[in-house]
Amino acid sequence: MARTMSAAERSAPRTAPGLRERKKIKTRRAIRQAAYRLFVEQGYDATPVDRIAEAADVSPSTVFRYFPTKEDIVLTDEYDALIAAAIRERPLDESPVAALRRVLLDLLGQFTAAERKELLTRLTLVRGIPALRARLGEGLATTSATLGEAMAERSGRSPDDFEVRVTVGAILGALQEAIFHCLDHRRVEDMEATLDQALDLLSCGLPL
């Protein structure tokens, strides 16, 4: 049976990665999948890194080479760069919110069932585990910087421009609240529609 390409693979540049990079991707994916499975079965706090390493058939030092902390297994991914690259390809007459809206919905629409399940597991862990929520701000800062650069290029401004930073911050805040709203109200099947609604509110100038 042919393997379904992941959203990350479909959105990646056409140049095929070399053998070394493919091995890194495979190892990173194996560690994540093992960790998520154990987190669901045993609980996040009850799952040590050495158990994750054993399940992924790697050494604990290998886990730490790819993910410096256990929190990083959940909080890091490859989507920031993909989203930023896709934003740069959107028509320049689109507003920043409209461009990101289209990019996010297109990306989510490409997810396989397995990717959707993995994403839901990650989001549920982040919402429910205090240690992950405490580290979430660091990940959002990295995401903000990456998206800010893409948004700044579209507008011919500096990534440190006040309006660029406020715009990106507002977008990320809206997306986070939309995700948490779906998780808190057990409406994960409405995730895409809720994200769309949140960005629509920003596009309308927050009419509350």
Side-chain angles (χ1 to χ4, degrees), residues 2-141:
R3 184 178 70 85
T4 303
M5 292 181 65
S6 70
E9 290 169 326
R10 286 189 295 271
S11 303
R14 294 295 182 181
T15 303
L19 177 60
R20 185 174 183 180
E21 184 60 28
R22 291 200 303 273
K23 287 183 176 180
K24 288 182 178 180
I25 293 171
K26 183 178 179 180
T27 301
R28 189 181 300 116
R29 183 178 297 133
I31 293 170
R32 279 197 182 119
Q33 291 176 344
Y36 294 153
R37 184 176 70 254
L38 292 172
F39 293 159
V40 170
E41 293 173 356
Q42 303 176 178
Y44 177 84
D45 291 329
T47 304
V49 170
D50 59 353
R51 180 70 185 89
I52 296 171
E54 180 183 356
D57 197 25
V58 298
S59 67
S61 63
T62 297
V63 175
F64 285 122
R65 186 163 66 248
Y66 284 91
F67 304 101
T69 69
K70 189 169 76 169
E71 291 91 347
D72 289 323
I73 298 176
V74 180
L75 293 173
T76 60
D77 58 47
E78 291 77 38
Y79 292 119
D80 285 358
L82 295 176
I83 292 171
I87 287 174
R88 290 184 173 96
E89 296 177 357
R90 297 299 303 171
L92 292 178
D93 59 354
E94 283 185 336
S95 70
V97 175
L100 182 59
R101 184 181 190 175
R102 188 67 268 157
V103 166
L104 285 179
L105 294 179
D106 285 349
L107 181 62
L108 289 172
Q110 296 175 29
F111 272 33
T112 64
E115 287 173 322
R116 287 176 177 273
K117 182 178 180 181
E118 182 177 294
L119 178 61
L120 177 58
T121 298
R122 292 181 61 203
L123 296 175
T124 301
L125 286 166
V126 171
R127 186 56 168 162
I129 305 298
L132 294 175
R133 289 202 305 276
R135 284 283 309 280
L136 182 60
E138 296 178 24
L140 286 177

